[in-house]
Amino acid sequence: MKKNLLTLTLIISLFQSTFGQELKQAPLSSEFENFIKENNKVTGDIPSPSTYVFDKNFKLDLSKISFPDVYDLRNEMEVSSVKSQGNAGHCWSFAAIGAIEARSLKLGFEEIDLSEHNMATCHGFEWEEGGNQSIATAYLSRLSGPILETQDPYNDYEFSCSATNTEPQFYVPESRFLPKNADIIKYYLMNYGAIAVSYYHNDSYFRSYNNTYYYSGEKGSNHGVLLVGWNDNKTTSGGTGAWIIKNSWGSFWGDDGFFYMSYNDTHAIDKATLYPLRLETNNIDTILMYDDFGEITSYGYGNYEGYALIKHSISEEYNFNKVGTYIGAMNSIIDIEVFETKTDDILTDTLAKKYDLFCEFPGYYTFDVPFTTNKDFYIKIKYFTPNDQHPIPAEVVVDDYAYPEIESQVGWISANGENWKQIGAGTNDEMDLCIRAYGSKSDIKSSFTSDYETICLNSLVEFTSNSSGNITKYSWDFGKDATPATASSEGPIAVSYSTEGFKTVKLVVENEFGTKDSVILYNHINVSNEIKVDIAPGDSIFLLRGNTLELNAYGAYSYNWYPENMIIGNVSSNTVEVSPVSDTTLIYLDGEMNTCSNTDSLIIYLYDLPENDDVCDAIELTLNKEEGPFSNSYATVQENEPHPVEGGCTTPLEWCEEGGLQNSIWFKFTAPKSGTVKINTEGFDNQIAVYDAENCTDIISGNESLYELIAANDDYSSTNYAASIDEITGLTANKTYWIQLDGSAGGDEGECTITVTELKASNDSPCEAKELDLRTTYSENNNYASVDENEPYPDNTDCTTQNSWCPNDNLNATVWYKFTSPASEQVSIQSTGFDNQIAVYEVSECNDLLSGNSSNYTILAANDNYEGNEAASIELFNGLTEGTVYYIQVDGKNDEFYGNFTLYINEWPLATEDINISQNIIIYPNPVKDNFIISGIECAEISIYNTSGTLVKKLENHKNNTPISISNFNSGLYYINIIQDNNTITKTISIIK
């Protein structure tokens, strides 16, 4: 296919290091996921779960190519007759079969009528009517068809597969998925024939008066059709210019079954698929494969390179001539090796090998890799897929789409081609690899290759026989206007052509017993006055700054690279190296073949690893500050880099099941004194984890005992899928903790901000004390409170003694308040709620409370569980100075450090009666023994105090004439404090037992 193309080897640091990399599955296409979520068991064209990568910078040099204004395959007699899909949604099958019928006409065969019904009903996927070109490719590449219409006639009411043992008319083992590029589509339409495409159809967008269609909305495609030409001058409601489309609704619809789709239609030339290769059935009688459904997804290790190894078992001698696999990205290159023996990770006894096999477009390919064996053998493929980090194609179970039976102990994958990981049934990676072997049990097998497929007029192309068996005779036919026209030697044989056009080449081989075998490659050589010159690895690539990239040229006899100052090596060689220094660099290649020449170019984008790519380069974050944006683009995965287990996307301490580590970056922060933080990210879909370790090297030591995962989440309580952690408690103040941020959703890359916020009480320190008004109830808590250095606390003596706390209590989570002494210079303090302790201090300046010098402050009062109450209270104390500010310390006691509580400071004596409300309020009976009622109120707050000023009972929202029980009170005088509509009165009551 190309001359002297050397192995593409990139400096290892071009890619992410393979050490410690996690195998990850490519995310299913978003269009497919949305389709499945909506449970759309609809007919017609449905999305494929596979995602193919097209180079956005791909270009077709049109300097010597001109397209006519109008091109119509009908005029070339290269379109089969219009058919009708009837009431069934088999449009995708009609599109695929129509493309195959048209390709046969392009190759010079008579019109043939193939069975759409067989493809539509025998594909094996979970769809009675809907389908797509990926399903068609699976059916064709496993050699299930195509068969003749007469062998399985179309029936739009029968959805079961009935013609299961019918031999195909010929084989169509390859497909190409073309980019959405008008010039590329036109080129392949002219040279290869009709192309299957899909679009969104709704009758309201069809104009029957001129048979045109234009849709500019956002709905996904739902109908498969056949692209057969174009008309640059055709006017539609979408503007000038239209594609000519063959529909499958019969010849009475549209323009005898055809219509015109605007160039500007949302889905014009969507999902364009070509079926280029036709093989006669005598070439293959055996196919060894496990992936009946073909590529459904793909896997990788976070870079463009991946290795797959598959074992096939036989006990008779076979001549294999082709190896097939899927390619997921444009401008890919693969190496294929076949071995007879595998011992642990070592492969020996090579049967065949082919390197630097270039694949311009995604699709299913078969490669000529001939070998003969009668034993088990192993096929190893190295995939290099530029700009696609999931190079290894695989078949997996996808609910509501495909349910393959996954094989066991026949497949392995690797990041480096040396250390193999087993996959398949019974492993953590249940998949079948998409690697097939095509062959025959015949004694001999004809096969050949050529060093070029496109050549300049009167140039030489070399044909090499790869036939197997004891061959005694060779008979070559090189096609029209070839010199030599025929040959009878094994070769290699150099051939030239005196006329332009596609040439069909045939090789017949024979052994001593007269057994013959032949192979015909239709339109195998394209003779033109225009050659195609290519640079491997493609039209654009990303390169780590400072690294060297090897470039290879093919498609011509001689080359010239420029600009010369960028080239390392001989600028006339087909292999050079470059080491760009500018962020974007253009490399050009001129190629010549006799009188033909052409040019290709490569854009190299330099990138830098994120500065916080590694754990020990973590960026220090400032608490309570949004920082960023930070990017994880091009981030790598370190050896032994940890990550949380994969589970539910919204479950704490877990990540989504999306392929382990993808592209992680690191941060660190110093824990605040409260020991509690929350972490929030905003931006792209990510996942975060927090680790506790003595130093960064412990985290990547591979020894899990040296670090601890203390928090993690993916999509936690977030609407934009950026991860957040609402609360991390128990951190050690002033200790460093590490944050790992990774792309979620199968390896998302993007920018995000990150904020680590200390969760603390607003009145955590004396100088942050909250000011309290007298005779006002405050609902408080000490959540997220901490203890300041040198913070004071009363002596540990007796839990119920004034000015003391319980023995062996420590400060746990203190909050602070302050109040101003009233004119009476005496107050009482009550709290309700959880088990706490309170203290009151006199001090000149708030900072003196943290001085560590007890002579700078005075403890006026303190208590814990006063008179048996769980929440602390302080009875009436006096000696205050009017107008002076005093400080109250509240702390959580024992094991219950945090909780909710109320605070109420009451001036003594209690407030006098408010004349506006007192005249209507009556307490009776008074004196009282067990209970009493208050009349004349609506909904009031009732507080009962003893003569010491201690609150003994409190009622919120107490209603008129509702009994109040005092059965457990001692005899004596009590004060009833009533607050209603912000008015306060105090009445007395006597309790007699």
Side-chain angles (χ1 to χ4, degrees):
M1 293 176 63
K2 46 192 179 293
K3 185 176 183 179
N4 299 324
L5 176 61
L6 301 185
T7 302
L8 176 68
T9 56
L10 299 183
I11 303 301
I12 188 64
S13 53
L14 168 62
F15 307 110
Q16 300 172 11
S17 168
T18 59
F19 293 113
Q21 287 183 344
E22 295 287 335
L23 178 69
K24 50 194 177 184
Q25 180 182 345
L28 302 180
S29 72
S30 58
E31 186 181 8
F32 176 81
E33 284 194 321
N34 292 335
F35 178 79
I36 292 297
K37 285 177 183 177
E38 295 170 2
N39 196 28
N40 273 328
K41 288 283 186 180
V42 298
T43 64
D45 182 86
I46 67 172
S48 169
S50 301
T51 300
Y52 299 107
V53 177
F54 296 100
D55 192 333
K56 295 180 180 178
N57 297 293
F58 180 83
K59 56 210 166 297
L60 184 65
D61 187 351
L62 301 179
S63 59
K64 297 180 181 179
I65 299 177
S66 60
F67 299 118
D69 291 347
V70 178
Y71 183 78
D72 191 337
L73 288 175
R74 291 175 294 181
N75 298 333
E76 309 298 321
M77 305 300 292
E78 293 175 358
V79 182
S80 58
S81 59
V82 173
K83 304 177 185 180
S84 175
Q85 67 188 74
N87 293 308
H90 297 326
C91 56
W92 61 277
S93 176
F94 280 80
I97 293 297
I100 295 168
E101 291 172 344
R103 178 63 176 155
S104 292
L105 290 169
K106 172 68 77 173
L107 293 174
F109 291 91
E110 296 292 327
E111 181 173 347
I112 189 169
D113 191 2
L114 301 173
S115 173
E116 293 85 5
H117 190 261
N118 192 255
M119 176 182 283
T121 59
C122 298
H123 53 71
F125 288 77
E126 291 298 301
W127 300 100
E128 281 191 344
E129 297 184 67
N132 51 51
Q133 297 310 307
S134 293
I135 292 176
T137 295
Y139 165 86
L140 293 166
S141 62
R142 68 177 184 239
L143 310 184
S144 293
I147 69 174
L148 292 173
E149 175 70 15
T150 55
Q151 294 173 303
D152 191 358
Y154 187 71
N155 185 332
D156 58 351
Y157 291 100
E158 175 57 58
F159 301 113
S160 61
C161 178
S162 56
T164 55
N165 297 315
T166 306
E167 290 296 320
Q169 186 70 10
F170 49 84
Y171 295 140
V172 184
E174 296 192 1
S175 66
R176 301 290 185 270
F177 304 127
L178 303 178
K180 193 172 180 178
N181 178 297
D183 289 335
I184 294 172
I185 296 298
K186 287 181 176 181
Y187 176 84
Y188 280 90
L189 189 67
M190 287 183 66
N191 289 282
Y192 287 85
I195 299 171
V197 294
S198 62
Y199 74 105
Y200 172 74
H201 184 86
N202 184 303
D203 285 342
S204 62
Y205 300 101
F206 180 68
R207 301 292 177 261
S208 58
Y209 67 89
N210 63 353
N211 298 305
T212 62
Y213 189 89
Y214 169 64
Y215 171 69
S216 60
E218 298 179 355
K219 291 186 178 181
S221 57
N222 62 6
H223 187 47
V225 289
L226 192 66
L227 177 62
V228 300
W230 68 83
N231 187 330
D232 291 341
N233 305 314
K234 185 69 174 180
T235 300
T236 73
S237 55
T240 302
W243 299 103
I244 303 173
I245 306 294
K246 175 188 174 184
N247 208 340
S248 52
W249 293 343
S251 59
F252 294 102
W253 182 89
D255 180 11
D256 295 328
F258 295 80
F259 69 102
Y260 298 86
M261 179 185 293
S262 170
Y263 285 162
N264 297 315
D265 186 277
T266 295
H267 296 289
I269 60 176
D270 258 9
K271 305 175 185 177
T273 306
L274 187 71
Y275 298 97
L277 182 63
R278 170 174 168 153
L279 287 179
E280 301 308 319
T281 56
N282 70 292
N283 293 133
I284 301 169
D285 64 24
T286 300
I287 177 172
L288 300 183
M289 58 180 291
Y290 303 110
D291 59 315
D292 288 344
F293 296 94
E295 181 184 30
I296 293 177
T297 186
S298 57
Y299 288 81
Y301 290 92
N303 56 57
Y304 305 151
E305 188 174 285
Y307 295 78
L309 178 68
I310 197 165
K311 175 184 178 181
H312 287 299
S313 297
I314 57 172
S315 58
E316 302 177 70
E317 184 166 290
Y318 283 83
N319 293 311
F320 293 98
N321 58 341
K322 284 184 177 293
V323 170
T325 191
Y326 284 83
I327 302 298
M330 284 184 66
N331 300 312
S332 296
I333 297 176
I334 71 169
D335 296 340
I336 301 176
E337 297 172 289
V338 185
F339 301 92
E340 200 168 71
T341 306
K342 179 180 184 293
T343 305
D344 296 326
D345 281 350
I346 306 301
L347 297 165
T348 55
D349 302 321
T350 303
L351 294 173
K353 55 188 176 182
K354 283 288 184 73
Y355 300 126
D356 307 315
L357 300 169
F358 182 72
C359 308
E360 187 172 28
F361 298 113
Y364 185 79
Y365 286 74
T366 61
F367 303 94
D368 293 311
V369 186
F371 60 95
T372 300
T373 186
N374 59 3
K375 301 178 181 179
D376 295 351
F377 61 92
Y378 301 82
I379 302 176
K380 172 186 174 183
I381 298 184
K382 172 188 174 182
Y383 298 88
F384 175 75
T385 54
N387 305 315
D388 179 12
Q389 296 187 359
H390 306 92
I392 303 171
E395 172 192 71
V396 297
V397 172
V398 174
D399 288 340
D400 297 326
Y401 185 73
Y403 293 96
E405 293 184 9
I406 305 300
E407 298 291 330
S408 63
Q409 300 183 338
V410 295
W412 299 263
I413 53 179
S414 172
N416 55 21
E418 297 177 359
N419 307 109
W420 295 98
K421 174 184 181 181
Q422 189 166 73
I423 53 89
T427 72
N428 292 329
D429 306 293
E430 295 207 351
M431 68 176 100
D432 288 326
L433 295 174
C434 298
I435 302 176
R436 301 162 176 174
Y438 299 86
S440 171
K441 290 178 63 176
S442 62
D443 294 333
I444 61 172
K445 177 54 58 180
S446 177
S447 176
F448 69 86
T449 58
S450 61
D451 56 353
Y452 296 94
E453 290 185 359
T454 298
I455 63 168
C456 185
L457 187 66
N458 296 315
S459 297
L460 292 176
V461 55
E462 191 172 80
F463 293 93
T464 301
S465 171
N466 297 313
S467 304
S468 55
N470 296 319
I471 300 171
T472 58
K473 293 183 181 180
Y474 295 85
S475 178
W476 293 88
D477 183 343
F478 298 112
K480 184 180 179 181
D481 302 321
T483 302
T486 62
S488 58
S489 65
E490 179 181 7
I493 302 168
V495 178
S496 65
Y497 293 89
S498 59
T499 59
E500 295 182 26
F502 284 90
K503 311 297 180 179
T504 295
V505 181
K506 179 179 181 180
L507 172 62
V508 180
V509 295
E510 183 178 345
N511 65 12
E512 59 184 331
F513 303 108
T515 304
K516 295 182 179 181
D517 189 57
S518 65
V519 60
I520 303 174
L521 296 185
Y522 300 101
N523 285 16
H524 177 64
I525 300 296
N526 181 17
V527 182
S528 174
N529 62 0
E530 172 74 10
I531 60 172
K532 193 173 186 302
V533 176
D534 286 289
I535 299 174
D539 295 296
S540 66
I541 198 164
F542 292 85
L543 179 67
L544 180 62
R545 191 183 305 276
N547 282 359
T548 300
L549 173 66
E550 183 179 280
L551 303 178
N552 296 272
Y554 66 95
Y557 289 163
S558 61
Y559 303 98
N560 183 57
W561 299 86
Y562 59 96
E564 293 188 12
N565 64 329
M566 297 298 301
I567 305 302
I568 302 172
N570 185 346
V571 296
S572 299
S573 172
N574 67 322
T575 301
V576 298
E577 291 184 344
V578 292
S579 183
V581 294
S582 59
D583 289 346
T584 303
T585 299
L586 269 171
I587 302 296
Y588 296 92
L589 171 68
D590 288 338
E592 293 185 354
M593 180 183 286
N594 286 348
T595 60
C596 300
S597 64
N598 211 330
T599 299
D600 194 17
S601 62
L602 168 68
I603 304 175
I604 302 175
Y605 300 98
L606 293 186
Y607 70 87
D608 299 292
L609 296 177
E611 62 175 298
N612 55 338
D613 188 37
D614 293 342
V615 181
C616 291
D617 294 323
I619 292 176
E620 180 90 27
L621 299 175
T622 302
L623 294 181
N624 308 314
K625 177 184 177 183
E626 183 181 68
E627 298 200 51
F630 300 102
S631 172
N632 73 330
S633 294
Y634 312 114
T636 64
V637 178
Q638 288 178 270
E639 182 179 7
N640 295 326
E641 187 171 326
H643 65 88
V645 299
E646 291 191 290
C649 293
T650 59
T651 304
L653 286 178
E654 292 182 356
W655 282 0
C656 289
E657 295 182 1
E658 294 169 332
L661 283 181
Q662 316 284 339
N663 31 38
S664 56
I665 54 178
W666 287 85
F667 305 90
K668 60 184 178 181
F669 68 93
T670 301
K673 67 175 185 176
S674 69
T676 306
V677 300
K678 68 176 180 178
I679 302 175
N680 182 67
T681 64
E682 294 291 339
F684 73 108
D685 189 0
N686 59 39
Q687 45 202 0
I688 55 178
V690 182
Y691 297 90
D692 181 1
E694 290 302 316
N695 54 67
C696 59
T697 56
D698 286 347
I699 295 178
I700 55 171
S701 65
N703 185 348
E704 295 182 6
S705 66
L706 296 180
Y707 62 88
E708 179 185 4
L709 173 69
I710 59 175
N713 229 314
D714 185 330
D715 302 351
Y716 185 65
S717 64
S718 176
T719 57
N720 64 350
Y721 302 110
S724 297
I725 299 176
D726 280 354
E727 182 180 283
I728 306 174
T729 61
L731 303 179
T732 302
N734 299 316
K735 184 176 183 179
T736 298
Y737 294 85
W738 279 265
I739 301 174
Q740 181 185 37
L741 187 151
D742 188 52
S744 187
D748 259 10
E749 295 184 6
E751 290 188 340
C752 69
T753 61
I754 183 169
T755 308
V756 181
T757 304
E758 178 185 8
L759 296 177
K760 56 176 290 187
S762 61
N763 53 337
D764 198 30
S765 296
C767 292
E768 298 169 338
K770 179 178 179 179
E771 180 122 19
L772 303 180
D773 293 328
L774 303 183
R775 297 189 301 277
T776 302
T777 300
Y778 291 89
S779 297
E780 301 293 314
N781 66 70
N782 70 333
N783 295 337
Y784 311 122
S786 61
V787 177
D788 284 306
E789 185 178 4
N790 297 323
E791 189 167 327
Y793 61 94
D795 293 333
N796 294 325
T797 53
D798 187 341
C799 291
T800 60
T801 302
Q802 193 89 316
N803 296 334
S804 70
W805 283 354
C806 290
N808 301 319
D809 274 359
N810 295 313
L811 290 180
N812 298 307
T814 58
V815 285
W816 288 83
Y817 303 88
K818 60 186 178 181
F819 69 94
T820 302
S821 172
S824 66
E825 299 182 346
Q826 52 186 349
V827 298
S828 63
I829 303 174
Q830 291 83 36
S831 69
T832 62
F834 82 118
D835 190 1
N836 61 27
Q837 45 203 1
I838 59 178
V840 182
Y841 297 87
E842 181 178 11
V843 66
S844 298
E845 298 289 340
C846 60
N847 287 325
D848 288 342
L849 288 165
L850 303 178
S851 65
N853 186 350
S854 60
S855 65
N856 289 340
Y857 55 84
T858 302
I859 298 179
L860 298 181
N863 225 316
D864 186 331
N865 296 348
Y866 184 64
E867 291 187 350
N869 294 319
E870 185 178 76
S873 297
I874 298 177
E875 68 179 20
L876 177 68
F877 66 97
N878 51 29
L880 305 180
T881 301
E882 181 183 358
T884 298
V885 174
Y886 296 87
Y887 289 82
I888 302 173
Q889 180 187 34
V890 180
D891 187 45
K893 180 183 174 296
N894 297 329
D895 295 330
E896 189 181 3
F897 296 159
Y898 303 99
N900 298 317
F901 60 92
T902 64
L903 269 182
Y904 187 87
I905 305 176
N906 206 2
E907 177 185 2
W908 204 266
L910 296 177
T912 58
E913 295 186 2
D914 188 317
I915 202 68
N916 293 323
I917 65 171
S918 63
Q919 58 187 359
N920 296 320
I921 296 177
I922 300 173
I923 298 177
Y924 64 92
N926 189 6
V928 62
K929 182 177 182 180
D930 293 319
N931 56 68
F932 65 94
I933 64 173
I934 304 174
S935 66
I937 62 174
E938 295 179 0
C939 188
E941 179 183 297
I942 309 298
S943 301
I944 305 176
Y945 298 88
N946 62 21
T947 54
S948 298
T950 300
L951 179 70
V952 294
K953 191 179 187 76
K954 186 169 184 177
L955 302 170
E956 303 279 355
N957 302 319
H958 186 69
K959 295 183 179 180
N960 192 48
N961 293 326
T962 302
I964 300 173
S965 174
I966 45 86
S967 58
N968 61 340
F969 284 24
N970 296 324
S971 298
L973 183 67
Y974 290 83
Y975 296 90
I976 311 298
N977 193 230
I978 304 170
I979 302 175
Q980 179 174 289
D981 299 327
N982 295 320
N983 296 309
T984 303
I985 67 168
T986 301
K987 290 182 177 290
T988 59
I989 188 171
S990 295
I991 298 177
I992 301 174
K993 295 293 185 180

